[in-house]
Amino acid sequence: MTSIPTASPSPEDRPSSPEPLPSPERPSPSEGPSPSGRPSASERPSASGRLFVPEQLSAREQLSSSERGASAERATSAERDFPERAASSERASSPEQDLSAERVFSLQQEMEQLRATAGRLREQVAELEVRARARPRIALAEGILVERYRLAHAQDAFVLLRRASQHANIKLHQLATAVVRTPGPAPGAERWLPERTRHAALPSLDALRAGTLDVRNQGEVLGAALHRVLAVTGTDMGNVQLLEDDVLRMARHAGLPRHFTDHFAFVDGSTSCSRAAEASSQVTVKEVASSAGFGEEDRRVILTSGSRACHSVPLFDGHRTVHGVISSHHARPLSGFTQAQLRELHAAGRTMGEWIRWHQETVLLDALEDLHQLALAGQS
């Protein structure tokens, strides 16, 4: 009978020595079966059918486990030290950061220099505009004086205009305008206006409530009128404009920045002050930002100057001739003025209109007489 050979186990499958099974122990509550009812990884049998227990970890596995523990400890330490290292990293600036800070500082300095340069250029442009508007009239007056008094140069005529305007405390271009518009004296006449025997009556300035004023001093009277309008309207920003050749020229101002006074040095467009002059009545702009009465550039200049509303008062005489405008500017929108305020503003405007007319018929003509005497003295 042929015997059937049996496969003997290989040395790898054969146990090196019999190992006793671990004695059964009652599991602790923390070591109970897994929620799924299946044995945990340490309880599942190995490929050889034996139960795997932690004590049977190989030396490599034990070393790997210890390395993992050390790594975990290092990670915990790194997490604990991270805020301090991050803070020190922020404190320690890199060369690139230092260069960036220097570049920002350099750009800031360049911006400040450009801003200052732009401001100086705006001032120069405004001054050039004043000269460009006044120079033709002054040049014409110089030519008239050179021919009338047989002067050698136009500069001699300019010196006469300057001396006479300083004596009368008026603007040189105002005197030049009077020279051009007023018929000249007769040849050899001792006086420019011999028929002028008496001065116009001085109007009362009580409506300005300014006390004693030098009525011949244009700057002082205009300043008092502006102060009165600002007191009635309750603000500290405003300006006075005089009407010359159908153009409103800035003559006095308070509380307004340079870019405002430069921009509105001469006004002949559509603004509240020009509308007040044309209509010979007060004009209130309750909200500059939404008003249709301004161009975009005019609106931008007004708003950037801190004004949100304005009120313009025409300066007119008894013949309803408008000589200028006083405007108040307000940091907040206006709801309007009371009738009492409007009456006080009307009285101030009428008073100033009468005074400007008196000033033109008295002080300005006195300046012409003074100019004539200076020219005759230079001939002798």
Side-chain angles (χ1 to χ4, degrees), residues 229-376:
V229 169
L230 298 185
V232 173
T233 56
T235 183
D236 58 358
M237 295 186 294
N239 60 277
V240 182
Q241 296 162 294
L242 298 181
L243 189 61
E244 300 174 355
D245 297 329
D246 297 325
V247 175
L248 289 170
R249 179 185 62 82
M250 184 77 67
R252 198 82 175 178
H253 56 84
L256 296 168
R258 179 64 182 267
H259 73 273
F260 180 98
T261 57
D262 286 348
H263 182 80
F264 293 105
F266 299 93
V267 174
D268 53 5
S270 177
T271 62
S272 62
C273 55
S274 60
R275 293 199 301 273
E278 292 172 2
S280 186
S281 61
Q282 300 184 49
V283 174
T284 301
V285 178
K286 297 181 178 180
E287 176 57 78
V288 172
S290 59
S291 173
F294 297 98
E296 288 307 314
E297 183 62 14
D298 292 343
R299 189 195 319 278
R300 183 193 67 81
V301 172
I302 295 173
L303 292 176
T304 56
S305 300
S307 173
R308 297 294 178 270
C310 57
H311 182 79
S312 296
V313 181
L315 313 179
F316 59 94
D317 59 26
H319 301 284
R320 302 298 297 181
T321 301
V322 176
H323 298 279
V325 175
I326 298 181
S327 299
S328 62
H329 290 268
H330 304 261
R332 296 180 180 178
L334 288 173
S335 58
F337 296 103
T338 65
Q339 289 299 315
Q341 288 175 305
L342 294 176
R343 284 193 297 270
E344 290 189 42
L345 294 173
H346 176 86
R350 172 68 181 271
T351 297
M352 283 305 301
E354 293 286 358
W355 177 85
I356 293 173
R357 182 182 176 184
W358 171 86
H359 186 270
Q360 292 173 345
E361 295 176 353
T362 303
V363 178
L364 194 57
L365 296 184
D366 286 347
L368 288 179
E369 289 290 358
D370 186 33
L371 174 65
H372 182 60
Q373 298 303 318
L374 290 172
L376 293 178

Side-chain angles (χ1 to χ4, degrees), residues 91-242:
R91 290 192 298 268
S93 59
S94 64
E96 292 80 1
Q97 290 174 329
D98 292 338
L99 290 175
S100 177
E102 292 177 2
R103 181 58 178 162
V104 169
F105 180 73
S106 176
L107 289 175
Q108 289 176 343
Q109 287 185 319
E110 292 179 7
M111 289 177 61
E112 290 298 329
Q113 293 174 356
L114 290 174
R115 189 176 291 111
T117 301
R120 289 193 296 269
L121 289 175
R122 283 194 296 268
E123 293 177 4
Q124 293 175 6
V125 169
E127 292 174 0
L128 288 174
E129 183 179 4
V130 172
R131 293 180 182 179
R133 286 178 177 266
R135 187 59 199 168
R137 188 59 56 89
I138 294 175
L140 183 57
E142 290 173 349
I144 292 173
L145 296 178
V146 167
E147 181 180 357
R148 180 178 297 163
Y149 299 107
R150 302 293 190 267
L151 302 177
H153 303 286
Q155 181 64 26
D156 298 332
F158 180 81
V159 171
L160 288 176
L161 289 169
R162 183 176 61 188
R163 290 177 62 186
S165 64
Q166 290 175 345
H167 290 171
N169 195 18
I170 60 176
K171 299 291 184 180
L172 190 147
H173 77 272
Q174 291 178 318
L175 180 57
T177 300
V179 169
V180 172
R181 291 182 173 179
T182 307
E190 295 184 357
R191 298 190 58 180
W192 188 317
L193 301 169
E195 72 281 0
R196 182 169 167 257
T197 57
R198 64 185 182 85
H199 290 76
L202 175 66
S204 172
L205 299 180
D206 291 343
L208 303 183
R209 300 186 184 181
T212 304
L213 292 172
D214 180 359
V215 295
R216 298 181 67 87
N217 188 320
Q218 185 182 54
E220 183 174 338
V221 177
L222 293 179
L226 175 59
H227 183 270
R228 178 57 184 161
V229 169
L230 298 185
V232 173
T233 56
T235 183
D236 58 358
M237 295 186 294
N239 60 277
V240 182
Q241 296 162 294
L242 298 181

Side-chain angles (χ1 to χ4, degrees), residues 38-45 51-53:
R38 292 193 290 259
S40 63
S42 61
E43 296 173 343
R44 288 196 293 269
L51 290 175
F52 176 81
V53 291

